[in-house]
Amino acid sequence: MMRRMRYLAVLLGAVIVMACNPIERADEASEKIERFHADYNAQRDDAIWQRTGQEFKDSASREDLQQLIDMVRRNLGQMEESEQIGINMNSNLNGSFTVVTTKSHFEKGLANEVFTFIARDDELELVGWNVRSDDLMRGVMEDAARAAESEGAM
């Protein structure tokens, strides 16, 4: 009986690994990030929104995403190049997630971007995009200072 259980566990494990091939998922995530950056540079923001998963849409409105993209563009400019510096794959009761961290070189500064994807119907959907950048924060603070100065001048 124990031998049969071990065999079943090994077989189940093999099926799970084959169903979510980590190399394929990593390649698919890289392709989706490249497309995201191409759309970002071409200002195809609606295309970015259309490819987000429901979890993304439930946590942020289309306008929220637009404000974030506009803020990144204004302060960091065009995407020049991006290099993957980390990847994490995790499965839990909420789904199978692939999280990719990139070191991204923009026209006006550097950032680490974190892209979170969920596997759904044999495809990855974007459910999170976070931008971590001292250059971005510096630009946001300078924008706020300019806004405060112009309000004080009125």
Side-chain angles (χ1 to χ4, degrees):
M1 183 69 169
M2 285 299 283
R3 186 175 186 179
R4 200 177 268 166
M5 292 295 280
R6 274 190 233 151
Y7 175 76
L8 198 56
V10 168
L11 181 63
L12 180 61
V15 168
I16 290 171
V17 167
M18 288 177 8
C20 58
N21 183 332
I23 294 170
E24 287 178 16
R25 287 288 184 234
D27 290 344
E28 183 181 356
S30 293
E31 290 169 13
K32 293 204 177 271
I33 291 168
E34 285 177 26
R35 187 168 184 184
F36 180 98
H37 287 148
D39 287 338
Y40 169 89
N41 281 345
Q43 298 188 8
R44 292 187 297 256
D45 305 337
D46 285 331
I48 293 171
W49 176 254
Q50 291 302 319
R51 283 193 298 280
T52 61
Q54 192 59 48
E55 294 83 351
F56 192 109
K57 292 175 175 138
D58 288 344
S59 67
S61 69
R62 171 67 181 86
E63 294 76 26
D64 292 337
L65 175 62
Q66 190 62 57
Q67 287 178 359
L68 175 59
I69 290 172
D70 290 345
M71 179 179 61
V72 173
R73 272 197 195 110
R74 186 173 53 254
N75 292 290
L76 293 178
Q78 292 285 306
M79 162 61 59
E80 293 182 342
E81 69 178 309
S82 182
E83 171 190 0
Q84 179 179 312
I85 59 172
I87 188 164
N88 184 18
M89 295 176 190
N90 181 19
S91 292
N92 59 40
L93 295 176
N94 295 318
S96 294
F97 297 88
T98 301
V99 180
V100 179
T101 303
T102 65
K103 182 177 181 180
S104 301
H105 297 262
F106 288 83
E107 174 183 17
K108 300 177 191 174
L110 300 174
N112 282 349
E113 294 177 283
V114 179
F115 294 87
T116 303
F117 299 94
I118 188 169
R120 187 166 287 127
D121 298 327
D122 284 334
E123 188 168 323
L124 293 179
E125 291 182 356
L126 182 66
V127 295
W129 176 51
N130 295 296
V131 182
R132 300 176 186 152
S133 169
D134 291 341
D135 296 319
L136 175 62
M137 292 308 298
R138 193 173 304 110
V140 168
M141 296 305 288
E142 289 170 0
D143 286 349
R146 278 192 294 277
E149 284 176 13
S150 65
E151 283 181 19
M154 292 182 170

